[in-house]
């Protein structure tokens, strides 16, 4: 059922979304635990983005939906992201709330670089919940 819901969200986003977002790097604020990710902006205002996305690592797949907020409008932008991410991998799967903080800089036309941190509440079936924080750096293109 969860996989069907995530697939439906991705299909809706591809049909009704406006901006495409492709990222390559170590983790990503929109696609989470991924080395390569794709996200689609569903609604965008001056300081807010509502998005859905998907990403992959070597042995894991992530689906996400969330909200990005820009704190300022300057050459280097500070942002926060609240999202829910479903992660499936060789060791099983889980759904986790995620908070990301970071900065982004426009490199050239539609190319951006992002630096930040991703924090997630990591549930486990057989032990206490973990709070995991990881660094993130990626280059992305928007079209």
């Amino acid at each position: 059922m969860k996989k069907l819901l995530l697939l439906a969200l991705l299909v809706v986003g591809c049909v009704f979304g406006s901006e495409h977002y492709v990222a390559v790097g170590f983790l990503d604020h929109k696609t989470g635990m991924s080395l390569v990710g794709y996200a689609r902006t569903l609604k965008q205002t001056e300081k807010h983005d509502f998005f859905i996305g998907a990403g992959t690592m070597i042995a894991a797949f992530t689906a996400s939906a969330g909200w990005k907020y820009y704190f300022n409008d300057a050459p280097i932008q500070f942002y926060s992201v609240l999202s829910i991410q479903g992660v499936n991998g060789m060791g099983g799967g889980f759904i986790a709330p995620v908070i990301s903080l970071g900065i982004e800089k426009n490199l050239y036309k539609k190319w951006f670089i992002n630096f930040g941190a991703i924090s997630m509440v990591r549930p486990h079936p057989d032990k206490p919940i973990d709070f995991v924080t990881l660094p993130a750096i990626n280059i992305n293109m928007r079209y």
Side-chain angles (χ1 to χ4, degrees), residues 58-79:
I58 294 168
F61 170 79
T62 303
S64 62
W67 164 60
K68 181 176 183 179
Y69 176 76
Y70 293 96
F71 291 109
N72 63 338
D73 187 20
I76 296 178
Q77 292 186 310
F78 293 88
Y79 63 83

Side-chain angles (χ1 to χ4, degrees), residues 14-27:
C14 289
V15 173
F16 296 108
S18 59
E19 182 181 72
H20 300 266
Y21 171 95
V22 177
V24 176
F26 181 70
L27 307 182

Side-chain angles (χ1 to χ4, degrees), residues 5-52:
L5 180 60
L6 291 173
L7 181 61
L9 279 172
L10 288 173
V11 169
V12 167
C14 289
V15 173
F16 296 108
S18 59
E19 182 181 72
H20 300 266
Y21 171 95
V22 177
V24 176
F26 181 70
L27 307 182
D28 180 43
H29 61 280
K30 284 190 175 181
T31 59
M33 306 297 287
S34 63
L35 299 175
V36 178
Y38 171 81
R40 189 85 184 245
T41 301
L42 299 175
K43 177 145 177 77
Q44 186 173 23
T45 65
E46 187 176 318
K47 291 194 170 221
H48 306 273
D49 284 355
F50 296 94
F51 64 88
I52 60 169

Side-chain angles (χ1 to χ4, degrees), residues 81-97:
V81 176
L82 296 174
S83 63
I84 189 82
Q85 297 182 359
V87 180
N88 263 331
M90 293 175 66
F94 61 92
I95 294 178

